[in-house]
Amino acid sequence: MSLHLIERMVAEDEGEGDAVVCIHGLGGSANTFGPLLPALARQRVLRPDLPGSARSQRAEGALTIQRYVDAVLAFCDRAGIARAHVLGHSMGTIVAQHLAVHKPKLVRSLALFGPLIAPPEPARNAMRTRAAKAREGVAAMQEIVDQLSQVAVSSETRQKNPLAVAFVRESLMRQEPEAYARSCEALAGAEAAAVDRIACPVLLVTGDEDGVAPPQNVRAMAERIAGARALVLPRCGHWTPVEKPEDCQRALREFLASVRN
């Protein structure tokens, strides 16, 4: 495995084969995609921690979706990636959509987990409120973690998969409060990509208990993207790769095998 450091953004680079770039969501990291690695065993997998998140938390200044897009593009350029499958989770799916619209020659396909085009206004307000809460410090972050670990995963995950719940908690707990607050503001200010212009193959995966990317919204999103496939996983919340890794691996293998360009 190689480790890249580009303008305070840390990224992992491992394997050989077709390139796959993984873009995590709010409160996530490169580790969000760890459960999917068995499906990517013959690929070159590149997993950045976005500016402001995890090992890249020392990034300075305001964070925006455009800054994330620019950071991923700089990373791909440094790593010599001219064409890649792009995976995204949650906020990372918005970044991935902008990449597909504005850099279509780079993006071979999109596999988006817990996808959304942009947050609705109530969610934007909630993100701004959460940002203010995070700035109160570690104790306030603990309250955020406790709340999200209850609502972001499914009831079955909470009851039967304590390791998945622990993973989500650990991912959130490792975020630095001020950097996490700025990440929340990036999501609150997210602008929708022109998804009707996406021309590459697209897979959309959500859970039937995902409150961020509810099935009806994901199906409507699929209708706006030519040829997009939507998959709804039963008894699953928003952290699809972590809660249902085998199902996500299977869907990802089948999807990538179908991409010919």
Side-chain angles (χ1 to χ4, degrees):
M1 177 189 294
S2 299
L3 203 63
H4 300 273
L5 179 60
I6 303 172
E7 297 181 355
R8 298 191 178 184
M9 185 177 77
V10 177
E12 296 180 7
D13 181 350
E14 62 181 316
E16 297 180 355
D18 293 340
V20 179
V21 176
C22 304
I23 309 172
H24 66 78
L26 177 64
S29 72
N31 289 328
T32 298
F33 298 95
L36 299 184
L37 291 180
L40 303 172
R42 297 181 180 179
Q43 322 284 342
R44 180 184 178 190
V45 183
L46 304 104
R47 296 183 291 163
D49 289 340
L50 291 176
S53 294
R55 295 166 296 180
S56 305
Q57 63 186 224
R58 295 185 63 191
E60 297 177 345
L63 299 176
T64 64
I65 297 299
Q66 186 58 52
R67 182 171 176 183
Y68 295 147
V69 170
D70 292 342
V72 172
L73 289 174
F75 168 49
C76 288
D77 182 65
R78 178 76 65 87
I81 302 301
R83 192 90 168 127
H85 301 286
V86 177
L87 275 57
H89 174 245
S90 193
M91 182 178 70
T93 69
I94 302 175
V95 178
Q97 291 161 53
H98 281 279
L99 286 171
V101 170
H102 296 291
K103 296 293 181 179
K105 292 183 179 179
L106 171 66
V107 181
R108 290 185 65 184
S109 70
L110 292 176
L112 307 180
F113 299 84
L116 66 160
I117 296 176
E121 197 56 37
R124 294 180 191 272
N125 292 333
M127 287 296 103
R128 297 184 185 103
T129 299
R130 192 188 300 175
K133 181 73 172 177
R135 288 193 169 96
E136 296 176 11
V138 175
M141 278 295 297
Q142 184 65 45
E143 293 181 31
I144 292 171
V145 171
D146 289 343
Q147 179 187 24
L148 291 178
S149 62
Q150 290 297 309
V151 302
V153 299
S154 71
S155 55
E156 180 177 279
T157 297
R158 293 195 302 274
Q159 294 168 8
K160 298 183 179 180
N161 195 345
L163 286 178
V165 176
F167 179 99
V168 172
R169 286 179 56 83
E170 183 69 9
S171 186
L172 293 164
M173 288 168 65
R174 291 292 177 176
Q175 307 297 326
E176 192 276 327
E178 171 60 27
Y180 180 76
R182 288 185 289 133
S183 301
C184 289
E185 289 167 345
L187 181 54
E191 295 184 3
V195 295
D196 55 311
R197 290 170 50 193
I198 295 176
C200 65
V202 177
L203 172 67
L204 308 175
V205 182
T206 193
D208 61 354
E209 295 183 37
D210 189 337
V212 177
Q216 64 271 25
N217 291 10
V218 173
R219 292 189 182 103
M221 182 178 176
E223 292 176 358
R224 295 183 57 185
I225 304 173
R229 313 176 198 175
L231 173 65
V232 179
L233 301 178
R235 301 176 297 283
C236 182
H238 187 55
W239 286 73
T240 36
V242 178
E243 296 183 67
K244 297 290 183 180
E246 293 86 2
D247 292 328
C248 290
Q249 289 173 29
R250 185 180 309 110
L252 186 57
R253 283 193 187 96
E254 293 174 356
F255 173 66
L256 293 178
S258 72
V259 177
R260 304 300 182 189
N261 62 322

